[in-house]
Amino acid sequence: MKQILARPEFCVDCRLCQVHCQVEHSRSKDMVKAFKREATRPVARLRVEREGAESFAVSCRHCAEPVCVYSCLTGAMRKDPITGVVSVDSQKCAGCWTCLMVCPYSAVAQDKNQHRVVKCDLCPQLKTPACVANCPNKALILLEDKQS
Amino acid sequence: MKKTCKYLIIGNSAGGIAAAEAIRQTDKHGTAVIVSDEPYHAYSRPLISKYLAGRCTVEDMLFRPADFYAKNGIEAVLGAPAGHLDAAGRTVQIGGDAFAYEKLLLAVGGKPIVPPIKDMGEDGVFTFTRLDDAMRIKEAVASGARRVVVVGGGLIGMSVTEALAGLGLEVTVVELKDRVLSLALDKTCSQIVERTLRENGVTVLTGHSVSQIVRSDEKGRVKGVILNSGQNVPCDLVILAIGVVPRVDLASGTGVAVNRGIVVDRHMKASLDDVYACGDVAEAADVLLGGNRVLPIWPSAYIGGRVAGLNMAGISTEYPGWVSHNAFNYFGLAIVSAGAVETDGEPGHEVLTWSDKESSRKVVVKENRIVGMVLSGDIQRAGILFNLMREKIDVGSFKATLLSPGFGLVSLPAEMRQQMISRPGITDTCLAAFKQPELALSR
């Protein structure tokens, strides 16, 4: 089971993690095209919060007991029994926002253009998620639980 | 014929499916049967309004993949109403068969409230909680119904109103209270909804009820309704959307304690051994109000069902308790609410509000605990607030930040923040009462 760990002591609120998350989840996966030419800008699956000097990125924890999955009215949200990744089937998501309400981290994001939710999928095509790979300060690191 | 099974689950929606999934996580082979009086594969009940609106098909509504029962080794007995429950003999009469069980779950949901209305009849009068209801209303619309009276301005009423208004029908909502969604929203948000309804061509009559249905002399077809004020509202269809009450018929007279719903303990066990209940039929822990309460919402049904299933399979697990919450997302609005949102100036309550052009936020605080919240527009941080409320966290030291635009995990006291952001593996504060880490789905 993979998990992203935030290390506030190294985060400087540059938000490159958000930018790279958006690019990775864009149609073209090209930064300039994704931000300038695609019809709608992709929504970042994580956000950086800041208060004074304290900042960190918040993304899905892929909880062992995923309350978003339990609360999903349509069956769009599921936890993969093997990888542990919590993902959303955008075709099935009805945009009811119930998962937004129950996630204690507010880690599920609204894609208002598509009227559905989007969330961290740990970048299944990549060895290391884009946010982690592109953090200049290692303020985001990838942990792997060897037990599973 | 007599059949036997280890687990008998009556109900094929959120609670029943949750229990089946939890059971199969721990007991792969114990015989399990799911029973429903509806003939359909488990579907998402809240989507019936989308189906009515023509925005999804029955296949799109499947709550679990088509091979769900087969893959999990569960026998689905569908289209078969459960008859008599013999708790002492541990059998339930289903169709022509008697099913003997070791563990029974009653996840039979709620049934629509039908108010006393003169000349009610059946033709042209519908409730709106099941797929069959949506199908019948769809047929009525296809055969030319143009004007509808929706009785009840709650969430069910709003969902059917959106669907029918979207199809171009003339809809009149008749609500007994002085505002729509009075249980879910505060006055300000109710006004926003009413304004939006009117902008979408819906007539809203608050402070009214329907006392009589007017039928044509020759065929008995619905011609209109007469309100308590004497006003006549012409219509072709009447939809009763007043709410649901627990469907307790099966449990009544069996020795299972029933109050408003089937009373369950923290293990979701009813008053008799080996009988469990969850979802809209159950009266389970309400963490905000304390004690037990019927909480007819999807998340509590699923989580209660999961807890029941784990306990039925021999894994002692406690229900964390839940809090009433709702999401309103019709007519392009996004409003979420939880707990007690309208204080009516009651002493001891502090009401915090914030708004800009697109959004409004309101949190009600009592003794430094959040007891109510309603957000519209930007609802992105609703989850953090909701969980502070559900976990009864003392917000005294950061109350001033709760509604600020930058509010987030960063606003929490250092220790709590640290726990929330950087300790993987123990991040399941969301369901702290699930003290079963070894059951993590990933293992």
Side-chain angles (χ1 to χ4, degrees):
Chain A
M1 168 80 228
K2 289 179 183 171
Q3 215 156 19
I4 294 171
L5 174 66
R7 302 197 297 170
E9 59 275 34
F10 300 110
C11 176
V12 297
D13 191 24
C14 72
R15 308 199 176 203
L16 277 172
C17 52
Q18 286 181 195
V19 171
H20 284 278
C21 178
Q22 284 171 279
V23 173
E24 180 57 28
H25 294 95
S26 69
R27 208 174 281 267
S28 62
K29 304 205 178 196
D30 175 285
M31 191 179 288
V32 174
K33 283 184 191 154
F35 278 76
K36 297 283 210 189
R37 298 203 204 132
E38 291 186 19
T40 53
R41 247 180 214 199
V43 176
R45 270 72 169 156
L46 81 174
R47 68 168 183 279
V48 178
E49 293 187 4
R50 183 173 77 91
E51 179 71 54
E54 175 85 357
S55 64
F56 48 80
V58 179
S59 60
C60 174
R61 302 304 198 273
H62 302 276
C63 294
E65 292 286 347
V67 71
C68 57
V69 175
Y70 299 163
S71 298
C72 180
L73 311 182
T74 66
M77 201 71 95
R78 73 182 283 269
K79 184 174 179 72
D80 188 293
I82 294 156
T83 64
V85 174
V86 173
S87 60
V88 60
D89 176 345
S90 59
Q91 294 299 310
K92 279 193 89 70
C93 175
C96 73
W97 316 133
T98 304
C99 53
L100 241 77
M101 184 72 165
V102 297
C103 173
Y105 308 95
S106 285
V108 184
Q110 270 176 299
D111 183 338
K112 287 184 184 165
N113 290 317
Q114 314 277 340
H115 197 81
R116 59 182 166 94
V117 299
V118 292
K119 65 176 296 302
C120 168
D121 53 6
L122 287 174
C123 295
Q125 332 296 348
L126 304 177
K127 196 160 169 279
T128 307
C131 56
V132 174
N134 291 287
C135 177
N137 279 1
K138 293 195 166 54
L140 284 171
I141 56 172
L142 184 69
L143 295 181
E144 272 200 81
D145 177 356
K146 301 293 181 210
Q147 271 183 291
S148 55
Chain B
M1 204 169 82
K2 189 160 177 169
K3 296 185 172 184
T4 58
C5 58
K6 186 165 180 193
Y7 307 105
L8 181 57
I9 297 169
I10 313 217
N12 189 28
S13 192
I17 295 294
E21 289 180 334
I23 287 168
R24 279 296 175 252
Q25 232 178 297
T26 54
D27 180 353
K28 302 277 184 231
H29 307 293
T31 47
V33 177
I34 285 192
V35 180
S36 174
D37 57 343
E38 295 182 83
Y40 310 109
H41 181 286
Y43 68 92
S44 170
R45 227 177 266 293
L47 288 183
I48 61 172
S49 57
K50 249 184 127 176
Y51 170 80
L52 176 58
R55 289 187 288 147
C56 74
T57 64
V58 173
E59 287 71 47
D60 296 335
M61 297 170 76
L62 292 191
F63 180 54
R64 288 295 182 261
D67 62 356
F68 174 81
Y69 305 111
K71 222 172 169 179
N72 286 288
I74 294 164
E75 184 187 346
V77 180
L78 306 177
H84 177 69
L85 160 62
D86 173 6
R90 287 169 201 255
T91 52
V92 182
Q93 203 67 39
I94 295 156
D97 301 322
F99 279 75
Y101 61 83
E102 287 175 37
K103 306 280 177 186
L104 173 68
L105 175 65
L106 300 173
V108 292
K111 61 177 178 189
I113 298 170
V114 177
I117 294 177
K118 205 175 158 214
D119 298 332
M120 176 80 89
E122 280 183 6
D123 190 40
V125 180
F126 304 89
T127 53
F128 192 62
T129 59
R130 294 177 159 218
L131 182 52
D132 281 345
D133 298 328
M135 287 176 167
R136 282 194 284 262
I137 295 169
K138 210 170 190 168
E139 269 170 37
V141 173
S143 31
R146 301 311 311 155
R147 295 163 304 176
V148 188
V149 165
V150 174
V151 187
L155 280 165
I156 301 175
M158 294 296 107
S159 73
V160 72
T161 296
E162 187 203 44
L164 294 174
L167 291 173
L169 275 76
E170 271 176 51
V171 187
T172 302
V173 176
V174 179
E175 165 59 46
L176 183 62
K177 298 272 171 57
D178 62 352
R179 58 190 176 98
V180 298
L181 294 163
S182 62
L183 291 177
L185 302 182
D186 66 342
K187 287 172 187 160
T188 313
C189 284
S190 289
Q191 279 167 9
I192 295 173
V193 172
E194 285 172 18
R195 197 174 57 224
T196 308
L197 286 168
R198 293 191 173 110
E199 284 165 8
N200 282 274
V202 175
T203 306
V204 183
L205 300 173
T206 52
H208 283 87
S209 60
V210 170
S211 37
Q212 189 180 344
I213 290 173
V214 187
R215 292 180 179 276
S216 69
D217 298 335
E218 59 282 15
K219 286 187 176 164
R221 287 221 181 101
V222 171
K223 269 173 61 188
V225 299
I226 298 173
L227 305 182
N228 57 340
S229 59
Q231 187 186 339
N232 189 318
V233 182
C235 67
D236 314 310
L237 298 180
V238 176
I239 297 175
L240 305 173
I242 296 180
V244 293
V245 288
R247 195 181 287 273
V248 294
D249 330 22
L250 192 57
S252 305
T254 61
V256 172
V258 174
N259 188 25
R260 268 201 67 219
I262 298 171
V263 181
V264 292
D265 63 16
R266 286 278 185 159
H267 290 87
M268 305 307 286
K269 193 178 83 61
S271 62
L272 293 182
D273 280 348
D274 304 321
V275 179
Y276 295 77
C278 66
D280 294 7
V281 74
E283 210 174 290
D286 180 316
V287 284
L288 195 65
L289 301 179
N292 283 24
R293 195 167 159 234
V294 176
L295 210 58
I297 59 172
W298 191 276
S300 65
Y302 188 97
I303 292 167
R306 175 165 173 77
V307 171
L310 291 172
N311 286 308
M312 289 162 76
I315 309 289
S316 178
T317 309
E318 283 193 10
Y319 179 59
W322 211 248
V323 172
S324 161
H325 63 96
N326 286 294
F328 178 89
N329 53 7
Y330 304 111
F331 299 105
L333 292 172
I335 306 175
V336 294
S337 68
V341 289
E342 191 52 75
T343 56
D344 284 319
E346 233 178 285
H349 290 77
E350 214 177 320
V351 179
L352 314 171
T353 58
W354 180 95
S355 65
D356 67 5
K357 257 189 290 175
E358 278 101 43
S359 304
S360 74
R361 300 185 198 132
K362 168 175 165 181
V363 164
V364 182
V365 177
K366 188 185 179 189
E367 290 159 1
N368 281 336
R369 264 75 180 178
I370 299 175
V371 295
M373 58 182 277
V374 51
L375 314 183
S376 71
D378 177 9
I379 56 172
Q380 187 62 58
R381 302 293 199 279
I384 301 174
L385 289 171
F386 177 70
N387 279 277
L388 290 171
M389 173 174 173
R390 210 176 55 70
E391 302 273 356
K392 294 186 179 169
I393 304 290
D394 187 328
V395 298
S397 66
F398 57 102
K399 204 158 49 185
T401 68
L402 290 175
L403 297 184
S404 70
F407 172 76
L409 298 179
V410 76
S411 316
L412 305 178
E415 198 186 329
M416 199 190 312
R417 180 175 70 220
Q418 196 60 24
Q419 190 177 337
M420 294 289 280
I421 63 171
S422 45
R423 289 168 67 187
I426 42 169
T427 48
D428 290 339
T429 51
C430 50
L431 286 179
F434 272 116
K435 296 183 186 93
Q436 294 296 335
E438 73 273 15
L439 272 177
L441 288 166
S442 54
R443 303 289 151 85

